[in-house]
Amino acid sequence: IPVFCNVAHYFDEQEWQEVANLAMEVNSSVIFLEFINPQNLKISKNITCYYIDQDLVDWY
């Protein structure tokens, strides 16, 4: 599984969708680790995103 760290500010919504489509085509997952406030993360609604806050508590 490819893992990327802190690249969200390089992607627009269309590029997020392209990565999601590519992952589905090759039947794989992609993990993006972002140290960013979730309100500032601009991704498509159909892409699963998990958030861990500053206290390391999972919010789904």
Side-chain angles (χ1 to χ4, degrees), residues 36 38 49-60:
I36 189 171
C49 180
Y50 300 101
Y51 172 66
I52 300 175
D53 71 4
Q54 296 171 346
D55 297 327
L56 299 178
V57 176
D58 286 339
W59 297 101
Y60 295 96

Side-chain angles (χ1 to χ4, degrees), residues 1-35:
I1 297 175
V3 178
F4 299 92
C5 187
N6 291 326
V7 296
H9 54 283
Y10 294 111
F11 289 2
D12 61 22
E13 188 170 339
Q14 179 183 352
E15 291 167 325
W16 279 113
Q17 195 58 54
E18 290 174 10
V19 171
N21 291 340
L22 178 62
M24 287 190 305
E25 284 178 19
V26 297
N27 196 25
S28 183
S29 298
V30 179
I31 297 174
F32 289 92
L33 300 174
E34 296 296 330
F35 298 94

